[in-house]
Amino acid sequence: MKQKIKIFLIAFFTIASLAILILSAYFLINPSEQPPEQGGVEIGESPPSVISFPTDTAENFGKKGNESQDAKNLKENLISKLEGGSGTIYEESGYRVDYVQAADTFSIEILNPDYGTVKNLAFQWFKEKGFSDTDICEMKILFYLSRGVKTYYEQQGEALDFNPLFENCNE
């Protein structure tokens, strides 16, 4: 009985952590702030967001986590330096790869406005680590825009349909 309760609690907290991570990414990309009535932006306030977020992301992300045993072994090797915790695994000028232990998720911060190229570089990085295309698509990997990149698009006034998952993995 204690074992069932323990499994239930682990599953509950993992799902709750995942929901918080997805909601955080959603609200980071789509803030609920309304522009001032005068049409301008008050000093210290953010301009209205021009970034949209696909509505089926949570559903698609929830289907992930079915990677092969080889991928699980590669992932364990990759995160072993974190000693059972969360932290940064890799960083270069365009992106940073973090592992979030509570959600068993790779979180990739995009540091360059050319997010399509950055996503391709991150995909190649996982391939160089030995993961197959299928396993990369099955792993829990979530992208988010850095504050600087988000501000760049808001200042440009460009509408951005940002998908926090790998596009070539969507079915």
Side-chain angles (χ1 to χ4, degrees), residues 82 87-90 96-100 105-109 144:
L82 299 176
T88 300
I89 296 173
Y90 179 76
R96 184 181 67 229
V97 179
D98 293 314
Y99 177 72
V100 181
T105 301
F106 289 100
S107 175
I108 303 177
E109 182 177 20
Y144 67 98

Side-chain angles (χ1 to χ4, degrees), residues 31-103:
S32 60
E33 302 167 359
Q34 297 296 322
E37 301 255 341
Q38 295 82 11
V41 175
E42 300 279 334
I43 294 176
E45 291 185 3
S46 299
S49 183
V50 296
I51 303 170
S52 64
F53 193 78
T55 56
D56 63 348
T57 299
E59 179 183 334
N60 290 337
F61 190 76
K63 295 177 184 174
K64 296 186 176 294
N66 299 316
E67 64 266 23
S68 70
Q69 188 59 48
D70 286 343
K72 289 177 183 178
N73 294 340
L74 288 168
K75 180 172 69 174
E76 285 301 318
N77 185 44
L78 195 60
I79 64 176
S80 64
K81 69 179 182 176
L82 299 176
E83 299 176 354
S86 301
T88 300
I89 296 173
Y90 179 76
E91 184 171 1
E92 70 170 46
S93 62
Y95 64 98
R96 184 181 67 229
V97 179
D98 293 314
Y99 177 72
V100 181
Q101 186 270 333

